[in-house]
Amino acid sequence: MAQKIIIVGGVALGSKAACRFKRLEPDSQVTIIDQDRFVSYGGCGIPFYVSGDVSDVNDLRKTSFHMLRDEAFFRNCKDIEVLTETRAERIDRQNKQIHIRRLDGTADTLDYDQLVLGTGSRPRCLMIPGADLPMVHTSANLNDAQAIKELVTKGRVERAVIIGGGFIGLEMAEALADMWEVDTTVVEYFDQIMPGFVGPQFARMAQRQMEKHGVRFFLNEEVKAIEGTDSVEAVVTDKRRLQADLVIIAIGATPNVELARESGLRLGPTGAIAVDEHMRTSDPAIYSGGDCAEIRNLVTGQPGYFPLGSMANRQGRVIGTNLAGGSAEFRGAVGSFVVKTFEAALAGTGLSLERARRAGFDAVSVQVAQLDRAHFYPDKAMIHLELVVEKKSRRILGIQGFGEEGDAVVGRINMVAAMLEDRPTIDRLSNVELAYSPPFSSAMDVLNALANTAENMLDGRYQPIDADGFAEKWVHGNGNLLILDCRARQDGESFAKKYPDRWINIPQDELRQRLAEIPADKDLILLCNTGVRSYEAQLNLRNMGIADPVSVQGGIVTLGKCGLDL
């Protein structure tokens, strides 16, 4: 029997669910309701439209075969009715009706057999003076995108302040600073960018990459007010006053759940709509997904909130299948992400070390730096990875990466993301089979090396110190500190001459012959380019009776990326 399906929200989840369902039940009636004038667009492309990488805003609304996804497209190509600039005001669950109001003020009541809520999210607001001034924007939809793009293309923006150092904040900072050469500053409340998603060292790598292109950062600062009369003039924090012509607020998203709450649907502990594995709400006739819904975190097993466009599309397909009587499942997510930082990429999946410990895991992390391709291949770049593992079980909880070849970084992150639901241990990653050819990877891929390093650490063979630990000892350590540089003379000798009281250079292959030159009473730190030779030195020294030296994770390459100028 033909059904009447109503879908509230037509950006990612709603349009995907509608199209999937109509392919399965072409005789049923589907209506999409959206309060905006645009539907079915690539919202994650907004920063790249502002930057100029995407020249036409309608490119974000087109299919891969260049058809504009507007009301006529859905009506003619999909047999789906789309009501734009129409607000869903109330759900009458008992009578299976939804009350709507159009922009012109007219109201109507629509019957449904099944209902989908894809109401999305909205940007978090700052409740501070001046937040409602002209030239204060978010970047939540195409209307915002067009407004910001018009301002910069007309030369009305010389100085921009972005409040928030997360995904959107970083992408918008690059968009303004790169193509338009806007003097751009990011203000972040926490003491690092991408808080919770990556550790402090990887955050600094990404921050320094952006600083090279002129983006300024002020961390651990609270925005108190936005000043201006007829427009924005300055942003005031608890530490400074920043002049600005444009302010973009990017401090996260809040799920739009008012319609669900008022209709009595159950909300989860994250504040989003609770759904089961079939994306069904507490009402069996109502489904939900995307930015307004809560799903299971497949690493912690707890409810999670993942407002990501790619996830909304996949959930939409599951919902479309189930509207037609299927039993498709969406079991949850591990939280994979990537953000572009000019020529580099910062990516991750699963839990950072901080979040793992906060979730109750006895977790540790280990880092490696390695070339993303065979060392003898001419085109190659360094990739930095951090693996988060549970000590006792050796279960992998997450991974983060940074590198100049974004595809190489994302490829490694995605490999681990595909495993996480199965609760893999480091043994599995150590022996995971990956496609190999010198132009694409190393014979022992960086992922294999990362797992092996974690195993060596957990087995007690490898005693690492990270960049922050090294910096603390280097800056604040006592006179007992000694750096043993295991690199070749042409690399290490200059440092030994620069710091004669704290640095000696003994190449790793000469250690056995020159053991007498290593003082036994020093706080010894072993260092090489990426950490491989210093680990070998650690094993050799331990075998020769020097048991306490630590080895710098990722070597001097990682120290430099983290901003330690030696």
Side-chain angles (χ1 to χ4, degrees):
M1 180 182 294
Q3 300 186 73
K4 289 183 178 180
I5 305 296
I6 302 292
I7 299 175
V8 182
V11 180
L13 178 122
S15 56
K16 186 66 176 180
C19 294
R20 169 64 173 171
F21 173 74
K22 281 293 287 187
R23 293 185 187 108
L24 300 177
E25 285 195 13
D27 293 332
S28 289
Q29 177 184 325
V30 178
T31 303
I32 296 175
I33 301 166
D34 199 288
Q35 63 185 2
D36 200 353
R37 59 193 175 112
F38 300 117
V39 294
S40 192
Y41 58 85
C44 296
I46 286 173
F48 308 104
Y49 165 67
V50 172
S51 72
D53 292 318
V54 177
S55 58
D56 186 346
V57 71
N58 281 333
D59 288 342
L60 301 180
R61 303 175 60 202
K62 290 178 181 177
T63 68
S64 58
F65 40 90
H66 310 298
M67 294 186 71
L68 188 67
R69 292 187 298 249
D70 56 10
E71 296 93 324
F73 167 82
F74 281 98
R75 183 171 57 252
N76 298 329
C77 295
K78 305 292 184 180
D79 191 28
I80 295 169
E81 189 68 22
V82 176
L83 305 179
T84 56
E85 298 182 315
T86 301
R87 183 175 181 82
E89 293 196 322
R90 184 169 65 87
I91 301 170
D92 181 349
R93 290 168 52 198
Q94 183 174 356
N95 294 309
K96 288 193 171 182
Q97 293 179 326
I98 186 161
H99 297 264
I100 64 172
R101 186 172 299 277
R102 301 177 184 86
L103 186 63
D104 62 10
T106 59
D108 207 345
T109 301
L110 304 178
D111 297 322
Y112 68 83
D113 294 305
Q114 296 188 89
L115 177 67
V116 178
L117 297 181
T119 48
S121 62
R122 61 183 178 274
R124 284 202 186 113
C125 296
L126 271 180
M127 305 304 291
I128 57 172
D132 57 349
L133 280 169
M135 302 289 278
V136 177
H137 289 268
T138 60
S139 59
N141 54 48
L142 292 190
N143 301 299
D144 296 328
Q146 288 179 303
I148 295 170
K149 181 71 170 284
E150 183 178 5
L151 291 171
V152 295
T153 54
K154 290 185 175 180
R156 295 182 58 191
V157 181
E158 293 184 3
R159 297 176 297 270
V161 172
I162 296 172
I163 303 173
F167 302 106
I168 300 300
L170 298 185
E171 289 178 341
M172 292 301 293
E174 177 179 339
L176 295 173
D178 191 15
M179 171 74 78
W180 307 109
E181 298 183 347
V182 172
D183 184 342
T184 304
T185 301
V186 176
V187 179
E188 169 56 50
Y189 178 79
F190 292 98
D191 59 1
Q192 66 166 79
I193 62 172
M194 297 292 289
F197 290 95
V198 299
Q201 290 148 40
F202 279 51
R204 280 202 300 281
M205 290 181 191
Q207 178 181 331
R208 292 188 74 246
Q209 175 72 18
M210 298 189 72
E211 286 173 339
K212 289 178 184 177
H213 292 269
V215 179
R216 291 186 300 166
F217 289 85
F218 294 111
L219 309 178
N220 208 22
E221 294 196 18
E222 183 179 1
V223 176
K224 293 292 190 179
I226 301 172
E227 294 182 342
T229 306
D230 298 322
S231 186
V232 168
E233 296 173 8
V235 172
V236 180
T237 77
D238 54 355
K239 296 177 182 177
R240 70 192 79 242
R241 184 178 185 271
L242 300 166
Q243 289 187 314
D245 310 307
L246 171 69
V247 174
I248 296 176
I249 299 175
I251 57 172
T254 300
N256 292 323
V257 297
E258 290 77 12
L259 190 64
R261 182 193 294 118
E262 290 166 7
S263 67
L265 295 178
R266 186 169 69 85
L267 304 183
T270 67
I273 301 170
V275 296
D276 63 16
E277 290 187 342
H278 301 287
M279 306 307 295
R280 188 181 288 112
T281 69
S282 54
D283 184 328
I286 303 178
Y287 292 84
S288 184
D291 289 9
C292 63
E294 171 186 285
I295 57 176
R296 188 163 69 99
N297 185 313
L298 294 173
V299 180
T300 66
Q302 300 301 309
Y305 181 58
F306 303 92
L308 302 168
S310 60
M311 204 166 303
N313 275 279
R314 289 183 284 123
Q315 291 171 355
R317 191 178 196 277
V318 168
I319 291 172
T321 297
N322 294 338
L323 289 170
S327 58
E329 292 185 350
F330 192 92
R331 290 188 292 272
V334 295
S336 304
F337 68 88
V338 61
V339 60
K340 181 176 178 291
T341 55
F342 292 88
E343 298 90 357
L346 179 67
T349 190
L351 305 178
S352 65
L353 181 60
E354 175 198 352
R355 284 189 169 173
R357 289 174 172 171
R358 209 162 61 208
F361 291 101
D362 183 15
V364 293
S365 73
V366 66
Q367 297 176 21
V368 299
Q370 181 176 308
L371 293 171
D372 58 6
R373 290 159 174 80
H375 67 277
F376 52 80
Y377 192 75
D379 296 325
K380 53 188 176 287
M382 197 64 67
I383 183 172
H384 300 261
L385 294 177
E386 179 172 6
L387 191 70
V388 181
V389 299
E390 187 178 33
K391 275 187 187 179
K392 185 176 181 181
S393 69
R394 303 193 173 203
R395 176 189 170 195
I396 297 171
L397 302 174
I399 184 173
Q400 294 84 48
F402 179 81
E404 293 178 4
E405 293 292 336
D407 289 350
V409 177
V410 170
R412 272 64 177 204
I413 299 301
N414 283 344
M415 180 71 237
V416 176
M419 293 181 175
L420 283 182
E421 182 179 358
D422 300 328
R423 303 168 67 92
T425 63
I426 56 175
D427 295 334
R428 180 175 171 189
L429 188 60
S430 175
N431 289 302
V432 69
E433 182 179 354
L434 300 165
Y436 165 63
S437 178
F440 303 102
S441 61
S442 301
M444 178 70 80
D445 190 80
V446 63
L447 282 179
N448 305 128
L450 181 64
N452 294 340
T453 304
E455 178 190 272
N456 290 333
M457 181 184 68
L458 292 173
D459 287 344
R461 288 186 292 271
Y462 175 46
Q463 295 173 293
I465 184 172
D466 64 17
D468 286 347
F470 179 92
E472 177 66 24
K473 285 180 175 290
W474 182 256
V475 176
H476 303 293
N478 55 36
N480 209 38
L481 177 67
L482 181 66
I483 309 301
L484 172 52
D485 190 332
C486 305
R487 296 176 296 168
R489 286 187 180 85
Q490 63 265 29
D491 298 318
E493 230 173 26
S494 61
F495 288 86
K497 291 178 179 178
K498 186 176 181 179
Y499 307 108
D501 298 328
R502 311 178 75 185
W503 200 294
I504 60 173
N505 174 220
I506 304 178
Q508 189 265 327
D509 61 346
E510 298 178 12
L511 272 179
R512 294 182 183 277
Q513 294 77 29
R514 299 174 61 183
L515 181 63
E517 298 177 35
I518 304 173
D521 59 346
K522 291 290 187 178
D523 184 5
L524 194 60
I525 297 179
L526 308 177
L527 178 70
C528 67
N529 195 46
T530 62
V532 176
R533 283 171 290 180
S534 60
Y535 169 59
E536 291 283 353
Q538 191 176 59
L539 295 177
N540 291 338
L541 290 174
R542 187 179 297 134
N543 187 51
M544 291 183 282
I546 301 178
D548 296 330
V550 293
S551 173
V552 177
Q553 294 190 101
I556 202 163
V557 167
T558 297
L559 296 181
K561 279 289 182 186
C562 290
L564 188 60
D565 184 11
L566 296 173

